[in-house]
Amino acid sequence: EREMIQKECAAIRSSFREEDNTYRCRNVAKLLYMHMLGYPAHFGQLECLKLIASQKFTDKRIGYLGAMLLLDERQDVHLLMTNCIKNDLNHSTQYVQGLALCTLGCMGSSEMCRDLAGEVEKLLKTSNSYLRKKAALCAVHVIRKVPELMEMFLPATKNLLNEKNHGVLHTSVVLLTEMCERSPDMLAHFRKVRQLSSSQLVPQLVRILKNLIMSGYSPEHDVSGISDPFLQVRILRLLRILGRNDDDSSEAMNDILAQVATNTETSKNVGNAILYETVLTIMDIKSESGLRVLAINILGRFLLNNDKNIRYVALTSLLKTVQTDHNAVQRHRSTIVDCLKDLDVSIKRRAMELSFALVNGNNVRGMMKELLYFLDSCEPEFKADCASGIFLAAEKYAPSKRWHIDTIMRVLTTAGSYVRDDAVPNLIQLITNSVEMHAYTVQRLYKAILGDYSQQPLVQVASWCIGEYGDLLVSGQCEEEEPIQVTEDEVLDILESVLISNMSASVTRGYALTAIMKLSTRFTCTVNRIKKVVSIYGSSIDVELQQRAVEYNALFKKYDHMRPALLERMPVMEKVTTNGPTEIVQTNGETEPAVLETKPPPPGLQPASQANDLLDLLGGSDITPVIPTAPTSKPASAGGELLDLLGDLNLTGSPVSAPAPQIAQPPFLLDGLPSQPLFNDIAAGIPSITAYNKNGLKIDFTFERSNTNPSVTVITIQASNSTELDMTDFVFQAAVPKTFQLQLLSPSSSVIPAFNSGTITQVIKVLNPQKQQLRMRIKLTYNHKGSAMQDLAEVNNFPPQSWQ
């Protein structure tokens, strides 16, 4: 093929050099075919211009086709065409005029558009429908290249929608859509000015759409029994733009949207396309509540469709609307849950995200049961996100502590190796605070790890609980289920097996050795065996394990009188504990220090240098910063990032004098709260706010109040992305005045999908004991289009109900 192409190109070049007019048209046609095959054909550009200048229609047709394929505005050669196109736009033959319009609309540069816009506008007013439809599309190209010429075409649009020809109607709607999208002034003009004239735009569009729906069979426009679906879709998109945030326009189109939604045939894909555009329009304008329910029911029917693409589109659309029409989407909960069993991974992911969005206090038991079944059988790439979502939902809506413990234990048993790093301390904290559940929990955990040490987080929690409550396990005091008979030696056998197992990580062995040491004060018959096990690990090659064993040996020998007091049962724990001003914990895939200290520690309880470092970090500002939590590998830069966040934050609040803590470690965040606060399912009367909306990134705050402590406000942030590309590595940071205390939980993801096809959610808990007005400084960092983005903003418009 290449050899033949090379020979033919050589022959064509020779013909061009000889100025052979007879075969020029045929030679350019051959070149265009070679261009389509991927071979270079740039040497034919000037020949295209010669054909365009010819008087023969066949030459002009090939010349213009060659110009559209071989030329673009980056090459100066195209400017030589301007005069030829101008002459052909004024030609007496409509087909020559059509060729010129097509070429200008395809590859016209801004200079050409400026020079020829007058001719295009003139043809837009002609009575010839063949030319009007081509002129309308050419005008769209001119507006995109030179937006300031938009007003030139405004008078010509007045009568475009009165045309009977469907081609002219279609291109006219495209032109009006382009003008409304590119210019707010034009949008306001078509909304308001047209409403005062005899030819109102929205009623005109409604009339055209109604005629399309009610018209009989039309063979030239019929597609699968539906009259001109392409025109219907274009009109629906234009109505969506006109009705957005406009009550009068929305009111005028409510009836026709209801007719389209109820009269469109759904057995064919063409009808589904129209229905989908109708749903998008209904959800985007200020439509009636009944119409919105109808739209969501259409999406619910889409979920039953055999076509995977339609099901995916329905799930994505429901995910966008679940926050505004929660109850309507809840009606389709069973269908959405069924989509978790779909074989398509994209549908599974959307169904999982939507299922978590539907969880509330009323359905938490049923939804968690379905999601746990999904966790059992789903692919490994889903397990981490699913486990994280179950943890967040269980923490927020748990009906009882036993249910909460059982749910988290089920997750650890099923997908223990996929859970977040903070799952172990969170479950330990929950178990510790559930005093009446200690015997039940330790028995369940003991049975869960019998002979299976593969789920390391589960083994760590079980080892900790056996060390704390081993006496309850041996005594068989469990009332919630049938107690099991376990001896002290059997318990020690399990923990020793964990120590020697090849599957046990270093951290897990540390848990097991500490548990064995604790049992020396809870067991009576096996203390000598415990001493022997501890002494053996005094020479372990694992430095951490060796250090623990040496210290525990010292307790047995030199400090045996202190051992019972040191190893007594742990008190009720707070949500997070730290050993200093910062703690490395987990967020969305990165690591940042989380600053938890809000008051300088009293002198003498910490080393002076540590206290001074903390004061230097806070800089004396009257603020409480919080950075999101996640294991990281770059703690060295944390101080600078924290100061960047605080910057010139001007949040002055009267600080409250707080009593000095009596322990060396800093006081825990949200001090005094119960271990498992229950929050209102829906905070009645607290409106949501938009905290940030810039560069396609939108962040909304919704609010809930604690049932048990009215000083606590729970803020759920929802970040969405309206641009065409995903935003990755998203991190949300926040700071509040020092009179408040603030805690950021882990986000649901670090990627915000494009086109508003999904959201990231993250929970903020704010303690406001003084009932002062809430103010916040936020910092956003993410990657978008290959660039690292960063922005600061202040949020001062919190509704009074959220803090009073």
Side-chain angles (χ1 to χ4, degrees):
E1 178 185 303
R2 292 180 183 177
E3 184 179 350
M4 187 175 67
I5 293 289
Q6 287 173 355
K7 288 181 180 179
E8 193 64 32
C9 283
I12 292 173
R13 282 191 175 95
S14 299
S15 178
F16 286 164
R17 281 196 297 269
E18 295 169 3
E19 294 292 333
D20 185 354
N21 295 328
T22 307
Y23 294 103
R24 178 180 286 125
C25 179
R26 185 186 300 176
N27 288 332
V28 171
K30 288 180 180 180
L31 271 183
L32 296 182
Y33 181 68
M34 294 177 193
H35 174 74
M36 291 166 60
L37 293 176
Y39 294 97
H42 56 278
F43 58 89
Q45 292 173 347
L46 287 176
E47 302 304 315
C48 293
L49 299 184
K50 293 176 183 177
L51 288 175
I52 290 172
S54 171
Q55 296 302 313
K56 295 170 63 176
F57 177 75
T58 52
D59 287 352
K60 283 185 178 292
R61 183 173 57 182
I62 294 296
Y64 277 124
L65 179 59
M68 285 186 274
L69 289 175
L70 302 180
L71 295 177
D72 57 48
E73 59 182 274
R74 293 172 296 180
Q75 297 159 338
D76 294 336
V77 178
H78 82 281
L79 295 174
L80 301 174
M81 298 171 49
T82 305
N83 197 48
C84 291
I85 293 179
K86 184 172 184 178
N87 292 335
D88 286 343
L89 288 175
N90 295 309
H91 201 277
S92 58
T93 306
Q94 65 174 5
Y95 300 109
V96 174
Q97 291 175 296
L99 287 174
L101 285 170
C102 285
T103 305
L104 179 60
C106 177
M107 47 76 63
S109 63
S110 55
E111 293 85 357
M112 290 176 66
C113 290
R114 283 192 179 91
D115 294 338
L116 302 174
E119 277 71 19
V120 176
E121 191 263 344
K122 192 188 306 178
L123 291 174
L124 199 55
K125 294 179 179 178
T126 186
S127 59
N128 188 329
S129 59
Y130 175 82
L131 291 177
R132 290 183 81 181
K133 65 183 181 182
K134 291 180 179 293
L137 288 180
C138 189
V140 171
H141 181 78
V142 172
I143 289 172
R144 288 173 179 169
K145 289 294 181 183
V146 193
E148 58 265 26
L149 295 178
M150 194 180 302
E151 291 187 9
M152 175 188 292
F153 300 102
L154 187 57
T157 62
K158 181 179 295 185
N159 298 317
L160 283 176
L161 293 181
N162 295 324
E163 178 69 44
K164 300 293 185 184
N165 184 282
H166 279 224
V168 177
L169 284 175
H170 192 123
T171 54
S172 302
V173 172
V174 173
L175 176 59
L176 292 169
T177 302
E178 188 71 25
M179 296 171 77
C180 291
E181 285 181 334
R182 289 190 172 269
S183 171
D185 294 336
M186 284 292 174
L187 180 58
H189 171 81
F190 287 127
R191 280 175 175 169
K192 307 299 179 187
V193 177
R194 286 292 183 95
Q195 291 176 6
L196 302 176
S197 65
S198 58
S199 56
Q200 302 174 17
L201 183 56
V202 172
Q204 275 187 297
L205 294 171
V206 169
R207 173 178 53 79
I208 296 169
L209 193 53
K210 187 172 183 179
N211 290 338
L212 289 172
I213 298 171
M214 300 303 177
S215 65
Y217 174 73
S218 175
E220 63 269 25
H221 304 125
D222 181 85
V223 179
S224 299
I226 294 177
S227 180
D228 206 340
F230 302 101
L231 180 56
Q232 290 192 45
V233 166
R234 284 290 181 183
I235 291 175
L236 287 168
R237 289 180 182 174
L238 181 53
L239 288 175
R240 182 154 76 242
I241 296 170
L242 292 168
R244 188 178 296 143
N245 300 322
D246 188 84
D247 292 325
D248 295 334
S249 299
S250 299
E251 179 67 26
M253 62 183 76
N254 274 333
D255 290 342
I256 189 62
L257 291 174
Q259 289 183 38
V260 174
T262 53
N263 294 335
T264 302
E265 178 62 43
T266 61
S267 60
K268 302 286 186 178
N269 212 33
V270 178
N272 291 328
I274 294 174
L275 283 175
Y276 178 61
E277 290 295 335
T278 306
V279 168
L280 294 182
T281 302
I282 290 172
M283 304 312 293
D284 217 12
I285 67 172
K286 295 194 172 183
S287 53
E288 299 169 347
S289 59
L291 200 55
R292 298 178 74 87
V293 172
L294 176 61
I296 291 174
N297 290 340
I298 290 173
L299 294 176
R301 292 205 305 272
F302 280 1
L303 292 177
L304 302 173
N305 198 293
N306 292 329
D307 191 303
K308 293 180 180 180
N309 294 319
I310 294 176
R311 294 204 299 276
Y312 180 81
V313 161
L315 289 168
T316 302
S317 302
L318 288 170
L319 195 57
K320 294 178 186 176
T321 60
V322 68
Q323 301 302 327
T324 54
D325 298 273
H326 191 269
N327 292 332
V329 180
Q330 281 283 3
R331 297 191 186 102
H332 304 280
R333 190 172 68 235
S334 60
T335 313
I336 293 166
V337 169
D338 286 341
C339 290
L340 291 170
K341 304 168 187 174
D342 200 285
L343 297 178
D344 189 279
V345 292
S346 300
I347 292 176
K348 276 186 184 178
R349 183 167 294 279
R350 280 284 179 265
M352 180 183 71
E353 293 170 356
L354 185 54
S355 296
F356 282 121
L358 291 177
V359 176
N360 59 31
N362 297 324
N363 62 25
V364 63
R365 290 181 182 271
M367 290 297 290
M368 287 299 103
K369 184 178 179 181
E370 295 291 344
L371 287 165
L372 285 168
Y373 286 149
F374 174 70
L375 184 64
D376 282 339
S377 58
C378 68
E379 292 82 354
E381 60 263 29
F382 290 105
K383 289 186 182 292
D385 290 338
C386 187
S388 176
I390 291 175
F391 284 158
L392 291 173
E395 181 178 2
K396 196 171 184 180
Y397 300 114
S400 67
K401 288 185 177 180
R402 173 172 176 173
W403 181 91
H404 193 178
I405 291 171
D406 286 345
T407 300
I408 295 182
M409 283 176 55
R410 172 78 181 277
V411 174
L412 290 178
T413 306
T414 305
S417 55
Y418 295 94
V419 300
R420 299 193 315 260
D421 291 350
D422 60 349
V424 172
N426 284 348
L427 180 55
I428 288 175
Q429 176 264 339
L430 175 64
I431 294 170
T432 305
N433 295 343
S434 307
V435 179
E436 68 282 2
M437 304 296 297
H438 287 168
Y440 167 77
T441 304
V442 72
Q443 181 170 309
R444 284 286 311 275
L445 287 167
Y446 176 80
K447 290 193 290 187
I449 65 168
L450 279 174
D452 181 16
Y453 312 122
S454 58
Q455 306 290 357
Q456 292 296 290
L458 179 68
V459 177
Q460 291 168 15
V461 175
S463 299
W464 190 92
C465 287
I466 291 172
E468 283 292 308
Y469 314 118
D471 52 336
L472 300 179
L473 176 63
V474 172
S475 64
Q477 296 178 4
C478 181
E479 298 178 358
E480 284 75 11
E481 63 178 25
E482 183 180 350
I484 57 175
Q485 299 299 320
V486 183
T487 65
E488 295 182 2
D489 284 320
E490 288 174 337
V491 174
L492 290 176
D493 287 343
I494 286 289
L495 293 175
E496 286 188 49
S497 299
V498 172
L499 279 171
I500 63 176
S501 172
N502 292 329
M503 290 185 288
S504 296
S506 176
V507 175
T508 308
R509 290 190 173 97
Y511 273 94
L513 186 62
T514 302
I516 290 175
M517 184 63 189
K518 287 181 181 178
L519 291 177
S520 68
T521 62
R522 289 144 175 81
F523 288 173
T524 56
C525 306
T526 53
V527 177
N528 289 332
R529 179 180 175 182
I530 292 172
K531 287 181 181 180
K532 185 177 179 181
V533 171
V534 171
S535 64
I536 289 174
Y537 283 91
S539 56
S540 171
I541 59 173
D542 186 325
V543 176
E544 171 69 20
L545 213 57
Q546 181 188 103
Q547 182 178 348
R548 287 176 187 250
V550 169
E551 291 170 352
Y552 295 159
N553 270 321
L555 277 180
F556 275 123
K557 296 174 182 176
K558 192 173 180 181
Y559 304 102
D560 195 57
H561 61 287
M562 298 172 58
R563 181 165 54 86
L566 289 173
L567 300 178
E568 66 182 5
R569 204 164 273 173
M570 293 285 287
V572 172
M573 288 189 284
E574 300 292 351
K575 181 65 176 174
V576 179
T577 56
T578 67
N579 293 321
T582 63
E583 178 191 18
I584 307 278
V585 272
Q586 170 147 12
T587 64
N588 39 350
E590 298 185 355
T591 53
E592 300 263 357
V595 178
L596 300 175
E597 176 65 82
T598 61
K599 295 170 281 194
L605 294 182
Q606 282 189 331
S609 61
Q610 212 173 20
N612 291 337
D613 288 346
L614 177 59
L615 292 174
D616 289 343
L617 182 61
L618 297 181
S621 300
D622 189 16
I623 50 179
T624 299
V626 173
I627 310 289
T629 66
T632 110
S633 53
K634 46 173 187 178
S637 65
E641 290 177 1
L642 177 59
L643 295 177
D644 286 343
L645 171 61
L646 305 183
D648 56 353
L649 182 60
N650 185 18
L651 295 177
T652 58
S654 55
V656 236
S657 60
Q662 298 302 309
I663 55 174
Q665 75 183 50
F668 175 65
L669 185 63
L670 304 183
D671 209 10
L673 289 184
S675 62
Q676 179 61 33
L678 295 177
F679 299 99
N680 291 328
D681 182 19
I682 297 177
I686 305 184
S688 60
I689 64 169
T690 298
Y692 182 89
N693 193 352
K694 192 186 297 183
N695 301 326
L697 175 61
K698 182 180 179 183
I699 295 181
D700 294 325
F701 284 6
T702 57
F703 305 90
E704 297 177 354
R705 300 297 291 271
S706 170
N707 286 337
T708 53
N709 189 339
S711 298
V712 176
T713 301
V714 179
I715 305 173
T716 303
I717 74 165
Q718 292 178 330
S720 59
N721 168 21
S722 62
T723 66
E724 68 275 11
L725 293 175
D726 291 353
M727 296 177 178
T728 59
D729 300 327
F730 176 80
V731 178
F732 175 92
Q733 302 172 314
V736 293
K738 193 174 181 180
T739 52
F740 302 83
Q741 292 188 5
L742 181 147
Q743 180 185 15
L744 275 175
L745 301 185
S746 298
S748 60
S749 176
S750 63
V751 178
I752 314 179
F755 298 112
N756 289 322
S757 58
T759 60
I760 285 181
T761 58
Q762 190 169 4
V763 176
I764 309 173
K765 296 182 181 180
V766 180
L767 178 63
N768 183 11
Q770 306 301 316
K771 300 287 186 180
Q772 295 186 357
Q773 181 175 355
L774 184 56
R775 289 163 294 164
M776 186 181 294
R777 165 69 68 87
I778 61 175
K779 178 181 179 181
L780 310 168
T781 55
Y782 57 94
N783 290 327
H784 191 226
K785 297 181 180 178
S787 302
M789 309 292 289
Q790 179 175 304
D791 200 7
L792 292 173
E794 289 191 29
V795 185
N796 296 317
N797 58 333
F798 288 94
Q801 303 96 312
S802 66
W803 50 269
Q804 286 180 348

